[in-house]
Amino acid sequence: MRLRTPYMRCVVTLTIPVFFLFTTLCLVLAQPEQNRVPISKIVVLNVDEASSGWIDKNLFTRFFMDEMRKINSSIEVHVHILYRIEDWEKLLKEAPRAIMVVNSHGEIIPIPSSYNADWCSFLGDLARLIEDKGWVLVNPIGYAFWGVGNAVDPQVGSAKIIGVNGLNCFMWGVGLVASAWPPLPEDYMNGQFNDLSKKLFDILGYEIGYDIPESIPIHRPLTVFNGTTEVLPLWALIEVKGENVTCYGFAAYKIGRGYLIWGGLHHIAPGTKVPEDITARLTAATIAYFIEPDILFMPAAPKKTPLKPSTVILSIFLVVLATISLYILKTSGLIGRRPK
């Protein structure tokens, strides 16, 4: 059949590539989802034999478990708490695939007794579990691996400070270099929530300015290098922007098959306090998005209507004023008197 008009020739010419494009798109959409990380369980490190740095581990764990119970229907994952150093050592030896470890110890991380205080080997092995077994390590606050803890081992004690060498050994285990010193003065390291975190908070029912402050001090942001190339996070909830520099808080860094999620929050201290309940909410929100990215397509939670302190004071004042006025009117006989 001859195509007698340019219009018909154009239609046929466009139909063939469109058909193949449509077929390819259908095949892609039919593939299993690749953006979900199949985490089998979440383990919270709250080991009795190790102390914590920049955070109260017990208070954080309590708040974190409360937050995870609230959002568990959205992500459907089991959360376990490890209280004993023996259980932590057993988990490391079993090395199951695709688990998430939340370190409630802040700048300290528990080290098993079998390492005989060889913290560099321990941190290197931990990094390789992330790289090879798909582990996800979440460290919400401070300069992670600043110290190790194990009161059973007299060479370590509940907290042995190793400084920047801890993060160095961890990163060397996977061929990377990193630092968590702020590139700007700490007074300029207040992070702002980005569009991702705002959307996520709306869905989880966290209101900025009520459940979470409007800005968060990110005083230990992570900077990672692979050779001379900076490794940027896949995503982050908090950003600190300065002149020619951007830092991130609660950011997900890909390491082999697994991830390191770095909070970078400032320590719990007077005047710069990030309370454990806020730290727990930020951690829970990060985990919810990491495990179930499709949570962003869920409807937003109903807005809370918190009363401002000024509103509460005014309401109390009006009630007291009305009570006094009613009392004066009654005692003066202006009300309650029977007509003659």
Side-chain angles (χ1 to χ4, degrees), residues 112-131:
S113 303
S114 59
Y115 281 93
N116 295 316
D118 185 357
W119 46 265
C120 197
S121 294
F122 159 65
L123 292 171
D125 289 345
L126 180 60
R128 283 183 286 274
L129 284 172
I130 296 173
E131 182 181 44

Side-chain angles (χ1 to χ4, degrees), residues 53-55 105-107 139-144 263-268 274 279:
W54 281 24
I55 195 170
H105 296 260
E107 294 199 315
N139 205 89
I141 193 166
Y143 204 121
L265 291 180
H266 195 277
H267 65 98
I268 311 298
V274 181
T279 305

Side-chain angles (χ1 to χ4, degrees), residues 65-289:
M65 294 300 290
D66 288 342
E67 295 301 327
M68 292 305 294
R69 290 188 193 98
K70 295 175 186 176
I71 66 176
N72 192 48
S73 59
S74 302
I75 62 175
E76 297 179 354
V77 65
H78 297 290
V79 184
H80 306 269
I81 304 175
L82 290 187
Y83 291 107
R84 301 190 309 162
I85 196 70
E86 295 89 348
D87 295 332
W88 175 224
E89 184 165 9
K90 180 181 177 183
L91 183 67
L92 290 166
K93 288 181 178 178
E94 292 176 350
R97 292 186 178 275
I99 67 168
M100 176 178 283
V101 178
V102 179
N103 182 25
S104 72
H105 296 260
E107 294 199 315
I108 307 296
I109 189 164
I111 178 174
S113 303
S114 59
Y115 281 93
N116 295 316
D118 185 357
W119 46 265
C120 197
S121 294
F122 159 65
L123 292 171
D125 289 345
L126 180 60
R128 283 183 286 274
L129 284 172
I130 296 173
E131 182 181 44
D132 299 333
K133 295 290 186 176
W135 282 28
V136 179
L137 179 62
V138 182
N139 205 89
I141 193 166
Y143 204 121
F145 320 123
W146 192 259
V148 292
N150 182 354
V152 176
D153 188 342
Q155 303 176 82
V156 178
S158 61
K160 178 182 178 67
I161 303 303
I162 56 180
V164 297
N165 295 321
L167 180 60
N168 291 342
C169 280
F170 177 87
M171 288 297 179
W172 289 340
V174 288
L176 299 172
V177 177
S179 173
W181 292 122
L184 301 171
E186 290 189 351
D187 291 343
Y188 296 91
M189 292 300 295
N190 284 327
Q192 304 297 319
F193 296 110
N194 55 25
D195 292 340
L196 169 61
S197 55
K198 291 176 182 177
K199 173 69 173 175
L200 184 59
F201 294 161
D202 282 344
I203 293 167
L204 296 177
Y206 297 158
E207 292 192 23
I208 297 176
Y210 181 65
D211 299 298
I212 295 175
E214 294 183 358
S215 64
I216 292 286
I218 303 295
H219 289 185
R220 295 296 180 264
L222 185 65
T223 305
V224 183
F225 285 92
N226 186 353
T228 58
T229 303
E230 184 177 358
V231 179
L232 296 177
L234 297 182
W235 49 264
L237 299 188
I238 304 172
E239 297 178 1
V240 181
K241 294 186 177 181
E243 187 175 354
N244 300 322
V245 63
T246 301
C247 305
Y248 304 95
F250 283 92
Y253 292 86
K254 187 87 167 83
I255 299 179
R257 296 179 178 176
Y259 295 82
L260 172 64
I261 296 180
W262 188 280
L265 291 180
H266 195 277
H267 65 98
I268 311 298
T272 57
K273 190 172 184 180
V274 181
E276 282 84 352
D277 59 339
I278 294 173
T279 305
R281 290 188 192 109
L282 291 171
T283 305
T286 303
I287 291 172
Y289 175 66

